[in-house]
Amino acid sequence: MAYKYYKDNRAYIEALKKTGDLVVVNDEVDWDLEMGAIVRRMCERKSPAAHFKKIKDYPDFEALGAPMATHRRLAIAFGLDPATPIPQISAEYLKRTTGSPVKPKIIDRKDAPCKEIVWSGEDANLFNLPAPMVHDGDGGRYICTWHFVVAKDYDTDFVNWGMYRQMAFDEKTMVGPVLAFSDMGKMFYNKYVPRNLPMPFATVISPDPLSAIASSAPSPLPEAEFTGMLMGEPVEVVKCETCDLYVPAHAEIIIEGVVLPNVMIDESPFGEYTGYRTSPREKRTVYRVKAITMRKKSILAVSNMGVPTDEGQLLRSFSLGLEMERMLKDQGIPVTGVYMLPESTHHLVVVGVKPIYANIATQIGQLVFGSKLGPWFHLVVVVDDTTDIYNKDEIIHALSTKCNPATGIRITEHGVGTPLNPFVSPEQRKYGAAPKVIFDCTFPLNWPASELPVKVAFNSVYPKEIQEKVLSKWNQYGFKD
Ligand SMILES: Cc1cc2nc3c(=O)[nH]c(=O)nc-3n(C[C@H](O)[C@H](O)[C@H](O)COP(=O)(O)O)c2cc1C
């Protein structure tokens, strides 16, 4: 059964407009910093998304700024009411992605909007696309900030979709970081590079919202099939012009080509999701462009990373937390929920658990740090089931009152990190090394029940009938909320 979803960004834009989650900008905006500055301010103020109708020098293009930087927009992407609380959006993600993967459906190129315009040869020029200069100080124009790269494993049928940023280096060349532990990194560095073989790729810019969520989620499944699960029906794909990869047919722009083995060129600096500029100009992975296809009047999506809250922080926190919950439950750990705070730039995760045996917090920390998800965060706060993991006041209260500074903080010095961590030394950053820490906010199990501090809260120290009476008469007393 198909769920409610939007097949392309145009339908999503209409939905955002209806709920007041989109501003249409009719004034011309400059791709050189002005558009980036608007989107940055929007993220910091949690403003609605923006549909830019006129871009300087590029009359045939429009842009969508900050496509999914709020939980309201995330809820809309799932076809839910924009006011849906985070735990319910999470439940929807977990419901849709439990069960069998849904293979994509191949459609004819004449039915594929992303083939309305085809540029090949000299025409396939990256600077004919309205790539924004996102931040002052960036190393170049970033054409791909809300997109994914499609690539196929060398000796299996596994096809990966992953969101890895790309900068326009010259008319025919893009460059970007492909981290060694990412799925594409493993395929490229382990299989194509040793054989000195170029790896075909297709970059899908401005995909439909659910494909975007799937491509940035750390799921072990092929993301096309994961997208089908989120949609409740197959995602429609079409064959590329220059290789046998398939791309979502309703996306706005597709860039095709090959990733070159054993060549690296300069990329960065770039304003990062951590809220800092941490990656210096360095040699990174090279994408050589062969063809560009697109919809008429195509709408480039632009995400602007920086201090919270941008898409990277919001979406990665969402899916990292939920994939962690799934993994811990699969291991039989009695977790009551997992919430990664977007404001932490997906560095801090709160895990709720029924502490039924000793050192369960250590076990949780070791499992999540040791998993594929581990490099992206370094703070794990484990609370018991009396703490609401979505309530920041309760998290701070638990951390400040239950975590013993001498025995409840467990540090691992040599963890796997990313080159973007602001808090580690430049050398550790270079090698992607980072320390990790677990905060155990559960009371030790060997304390006698009579000695356990009793939490003094409305829902813990009053009889049920008093609570119910007070709740039912709350507005009558004169309170609004
Ligand atoms: C807006 C955005 C930009 C991202 N840029 C990068 C990037 O440049 N490099 C990278 O390794 N991961 C980046 N990520 C994170 C990856 O998309 C994420 O790790 C994803 O799960 C990759 O899939 P993989 O597990 O198949 O490698 C980005 C995520 C988002 C939401």
Side-chain angles (χ1 to χ4, degrees):
M1 183 205 69
Y3 297 113
K4 191 168 175 209
Y5 73 95
Y6 302 100
K7 218 172 200 168
D8 60 17
N9 264 340
R10 299 178 186 215
Y12 179 55
I13 284 172
E14 285 313 309
L16 294 176
K17 212 186 283 176
K18 270 200 199 115
T19 57
D21 289 274
L22 182 108
V23 170
V24 178
V25 180
N26 287 309
D27 275 16
E28 181 182 271
V29 294
D30 197 334
W31 55 266
D32 190 4
L33 294 180
E34 185 187 4
M35 188 157 60
I38 299 169
V39 179
R40 181 91 295 279
R41 188 153 196 265
M42 285 159 50
C43 288
E44 290 170 25
R45 296 166 69 87
K46 303 199 182 349
S47 307
H51 184 180
F52 298 106
K53 302 291 274 189
K54 285 189 207 120
I55 306 172
K56 187 172 173 240
D57 305 328
Y58 294 92
D60 297 332
F61 290 87
E62 299 179 359
L64 171 64
M68 216 179 284
T70 62
H71 283 110
R72 284 180 65 87
R73 268 136 51 207
L74 180 61
I76 294 168
F78 280 98
L80 301 171
D81 185 288
T84 305
I86 301 169
Q88 268 166 260
I89 312 174
S90 303
E92 187 71 20
Y93 171 98
L94 289 172
K95 179 187 88 184
R96 293 189 189 189
T97 55
T98 302
S100 305
V102 180
K103 289 211 180 298
K105 176 180 162 195
I106 298 171
I107 67 164
D108 200 282
R109 79 189 294 290
K110 71 174 182 353
D111 301 319
C114 70
K115 302 283 189 185
E116 283 169 359
I117 296 173
V118 177
W119 289 346
S120 52
E122 285 298 295
D123 290 340
N125 176 339
L126 292 168
F127 295 119
N128 289 338
L129 298 172
M133 188 70 187
V134 180
H135 319 94
D136 197 15
D138 285 353
R141 294 169 66 179
Y142 278 81
I143 177 68
C144 303
T145 60
W146 185 245
H147 67 293
F148 55 83
V149 184
V150 181
K152 188 175 165 300
D153 187 59
Y154 178 74
D155 45 25
T156 71
D157 286 337
F158 184 84
V159 175
N160 186 60
W161 294 2
M163 213 176 257
Y164 316 108
R165 75 172 185 236
Q166 291 163 310
M167 182 188 97
F169 182 83
D170 63 26
E171 292 80 352
K172 292 261 178 217
T173 315
M174 297 191 292
V175 56
V178 178
L179 300 179
F181 57 73
S182 69
D183 286 349
M184 185 165 126
K186 283 183 235 159
M187 278 163 32
F188 181 61
Y189 301 122
N190 294 344
K191 300 199 177 175
Y192 287 85
V193 170
R195 293 177 170 94
N196 203 24
L197 280 178
M199 180 175 81
F201 80 91
T203 295
V204 178
I205 304 180
S206 224
D208 68 85
L210 293 185
S211 295
I213 291 172
S215 68
S216 64
S219 162
L221 294 172
E223 284 79 4
E225 299 180 27
F226 195 76
T227 303
M229 296 170 91
L230 290 172
M231 292 177 169
E233 63 180 357
V235 56
E236 292 184 347
V237 294
V238 64
K239 193 166 184 286
C240 282
E241 300 295 295
T242 60
C243 60
D244 63 358
L245 294 173
Y246 289 81
V247 290
H250 303 274
E252 294 289 329
I253 301 171
I254 313 291
I255 302 178
E256 301 179 17
V258 285
V259 189
L260 298 182
N262 301 313
V263 187
M264 301 280 238
I265 54 174
D266 280 346
E267 191 247 6
S268 271
F270 185 59
E272 305 283 0
Y273 71 86
T274 58
Y276 297 89
R277 199 186 285 147
T278 33
S279 41
R281 198 155 181 89
E282 258 176 13
K283 304 264 179 250
R284 301 221 167 83
T285 305
V286 182
Y287 302 80
R288 198 71 189 147
V289 176
K290 288 186 173 176
I292 300 176
T293 76
M294 73 197 85
R295 298 175 70 140
K296 286 186 187 141
K297 199 83 183 168
S298 71
I299 306 170
L300 179 89
V302 177
S303 168
N304 183 324
M305 297 193 166
V307 299
T309 313
D310 62 48
E311 282 73 19
Q313 296 146 356
L314 190 108
L315 268 194
R316 296 281 292 145
S317 299
F318 180 72
S319 56
L320 269 171
L322 294 175
E323 293 300 333
M324 207 179 289
E325 179 171 333
R326 201 193 311 267
M327 191 260 290
L328 290 169
K329 284 186 172 160
D330 284 350
Q331 294 278 327
I333 313 290
V335 291
T336 52
V338 176
Y339 182 54
M340 186 171 256
L341 279 75
E343 302 82 357
S344 74
T345 73
H346 63 72
H347 284 165
L348 189 155
V349 63
V350 184
V351 181
V353 70
K354 283 189 189 297
I356 52 174
Y357 50 85
N359 288 333
I360 199 164
T362 312
Q363 185 187 31
I364 288 170
Q366 287 172 341
L367 276 169
V368 299
F369 287 141
S371 73
K372 175 184 185 329
L373 320 173
W376 294 101
F377 57 94
H378 58 277
L379 303 155
V380 174
V381 176
V382 179
V383 297
D384 64 30
D385 51 343
T386 62
T387 301
D388 177 356
I389 59 168
Y390 295 98
N391 184 322
K392 280 182 223 148
D393 289 354
E394 290 200 23
I395 296 166
I396 290 169
H397 182 249
L399 188 60
S400 320
T401 58
K402 289 185 160 174
C403 183
N404 181 318
T407 57
I409 300 176
R410 284 152 220 153
I411 297 172
T412 304
E413 271 188 54
H414 302 284
V416 181
T418 78
L420 309 177
N421 273 335
F423 68 94
V424 295
S425 70
E427 203 194 5
Q428 281 176 306
R429 227 176 277 148
K430 197 164 175 184
Y431 292 105
K436 311 272 176 179
V437 59
I438 301 161
F439 295 95
D440 184 350
C441 307
T442 64
F443 287 134
L445 285 177
N446 56 356
W447 288 3
S450 57
E451 301 289 337
L452 280 178
V454 175
K455 189 169 174 180
V456 183
F458 172 75
N459 53 15
S460 63
V461 292
Y462 296 96
K464 267 273 162 288
E465 60 276 17
I466 295 290
Q467 288 184 38
E468 279 161 17
K469 181 177 178 189
V470 169
L471 287 178
S472 67
K473 292 184 70 181
W474 194 247
N475 296 131
Q476 204 178 313
Y477 299 139
F479 299 101
K480 285 210 172 70
D481 280 318

